[in-house]
Each structure stands twice: as C-alpha cells, then as structure tokens.
Amino acid sequence: QKEVEQDPGPLSVPEGAIVSLNCTYSNSAFQYFMWYRQYSRKGPELLMYTYSSGNKEDGRFTAQVDKSSKYISLFIRDSQPSDSATYLCAMNPGNTPLVFGKGTRLSVIA
Amino acid sequence: DTGVSQDPRHKITKRGQNVTFRCDPISEHNRLYWYRQTLGQGPEFLTYFQNEAQLEKSRLLSDRFSAERPKGSFSTLEIQRTEQGDSAMYLCASSPDSEKLFFGSGTQLSVL
C-alpha cells in the first residue's frame, strides 16, 4: 500500500460546478497537508497548506483534513476553465521530505 | 523573477551520456530539494540540502546520480551513463522550512 493514495481521474466538470478532490493516507504521523496545482509542463504550485486537522478557506478553495479517517479533501467552488490542471496532495510528519499523491487531472468545461 | 529557476528546460541525450542540471533557489531559502516526476505520477523525492549539507538521499537515487550545493546557493544534479528509464521531469524546489516547497518549472529529460 502506498503511503498516499489519490484517484488520478480524469475528472471533467461543467463551469460553475463544485469540485471535490480527495486523498487518503496510511501514516498516522503526517501532520502537514498541502495541495499543489500543476499545469501542463510546469512545476507544482502551492495552493493550500494545513497543519493538523480542520478546515482552511482561501477564496474559492477549501481544504479539509480529517486525521481520524486519514482523509483530506480540496473543494473548489464556482469552478472556472482556468482551474483545469492536475491537483496533487502532499504531506509529511514535519522536517522530512513531502510525500506526494499521484495527482488528479481536472478539466473544467466552459 | 525571484522564483526557483531551472536550466535547461529540456534536455535530449543519448543513452550512456552524462547530463547535468542546474537549480537556482529563492535566495533566502536554506533548503533545496530535488524530485523526479514521470507521466501520470506525483513527484518522487530524490535528495535535499540544508545550506550546503546534503541531509537525505532516497533509495531511488542510484550511484549514477550525484547532487551538489556548493556554498549553499545553487545546486547541480548530475546523471552519469544515462539510461532510458531516467527519462522524466526533474524538479527542483526550495523552502524556508520543511513543509512549504516552491518548485521551479523543471527540466524535462529524454534519453534516446
């Protein structure tokens, strides 16, 4: 079993839809959780950063962490064609290299 | 532009040749990471530096791979005797701590 599991998709939604992206993990020591967005042929870009459990909101983006279920989510409200990208979850216990999921490819259709 | 810079953006080489990539991190960041990403996969950790000290290397990093960060500034990643399985995007990231990584655009390596 990989440490971080993420459904690769692809996921296709109409413009304006609410998007839900998820990851599960097996290492209960993970405390720092991140979401990165990666456009084609570009490096990943940090989108959201959360420490431990709870929710964090930034504009149209909400990150949720449920440590009891070892499950994290990213919600995108009012999705736009410019949100079309690969979304990567990443996490670590702290002071060790980040472990990434495979990424979910998202297409938002106008 | 004060982001992470990687050079070259693309490299095509023949099997058996040596290649070297360069990474210039964000200047105030003391941590520098190298990751490798293949199509349809997330980035996989290779190695990282705190200032000039190489603190950790993944078991993915065979003896043909070597990384340096002289004087704690830019870093180079060298692959000797390249193999077709080395074809990937090589990503460099810098960080002010161990959590928030800021990536460059990567070097796409194709080994023919």
Side-chain angles (χ1 to χ4, degrees):
Chain A
Q1 182 190 7
K2 294 199 90 170
E3 275 193 295
V4 180
E5 300 277 2
Q6 184 175 12
D7 186 336
L11 183 61
S12 187
V13 301
E15 184 176 356
I18 296 174
V19 176
S20 171
L21 304 166
N22 312 293
C23 288
T24 58
Y25 62 94
S26 57
N27 187 344
S28 57
F30 286 151
Q31 292 205 77
Y32 297 87
F33 303 93
M34 270 137 281
W35 286 95
Y36 282 81
R37 177 174 62 196
Q38 187 173 26
Y39 292 114
S40 182
R41 296 188 194 91
K42 297 284 188 185
E45 169 195 11
L46 181 61
L47 204 55
M48 298 289 282
Y49 167 87
T50 312
Y51 170 69
S52 194
S53 280
N55 293 0
K56 186 169 184 178
E57 191 172 318
D58 184 0
R60 297 185 293 112
F61 298 90
T62 299
Q64 287 185 350
V65 174
D66 181 350
K67 290 189 70 181
S68 62
S69 303
K70 298 193 183 70
Y71 187 88
I72 71 170
S73 302
L74 178 71
F75 297 95
I76 307 173
R77 289 183 298 282
D78 186 26
S79 55
Q80 302 295 309
S82 58
D83 295 328
S84 299
T86 297
Y87 290 80
L88 298 152
C89 62
M91 52 197 80
N92 72 0
N95 211 31
T96 62
L98 282 178
V99 179
F100 284 82
K102 279 188 173 185
T104 301
R105 213 167 84 203
L106 171 68
S107 293
V108 180
I109 311 300
Chain B
D1 186 348
T2 57
V4 177
S5 176
Q6 290 189 248
D7 185 66
R9 288 294 312 278
H10 304 276
K11 179 71 177 177
I12 300 173
T13 192
K14 292 183 179 177
R15 191 176 50 180
Q17 297 294 303
N18 299 344
V19 294
T20 300
F21 310 140
R22 179 181 169 121
C23 172
D24 287 273
I26 295 170
S27 57
E28 59 265 31
H29 290 178
N30 58 16
R31 290 200 178 201
L32 186 148
Y33 296 79
W34 286 98
Y35 279 79
R36 179 170 67 189
Q37 186 177 25
T38 53
L39 202 61
Q41 302 295 318
E44 291 180 304
F45 168 73
L46 294 178
T47 188
Y48 88 96
F49 294 83
Q50 174 139 343
N51 300 311
E52 65 274 13
Q54 189 172 17
L55 295 189
E56 189 173 337
K57 291 194 286 188
S58 165
R59 55 186 168 78
L60 291 176
L61 208 67
S62 80
D63 291 346
R64 297 183 297 105
F65 287 69
S66 62
E68 292 184 344
R69 192 184 182 195
K71 302 177 185 176
S73 55
F74 71 92
S75 177
T76 57
L77 178 68
E78 181 183 16
I79 309 174
Q80 295 183 324
R81 306 181 304 282
T82 51
E83 301 172 357
Q84 286 184 324
D86 297 332
S87 295
M89 171 85 87
Y90 288 83
L91 292 162
C92 175
S94 69
S95 178
D97 47 43
S98 60
E99 284 75 51
K100 296 178 186 173
L101 268 56
F102 296 85
F103 284 88
S105 291
T107 294
Q108 182 66 52
L109 173 67
S110 298
V111 181
L112 305 178

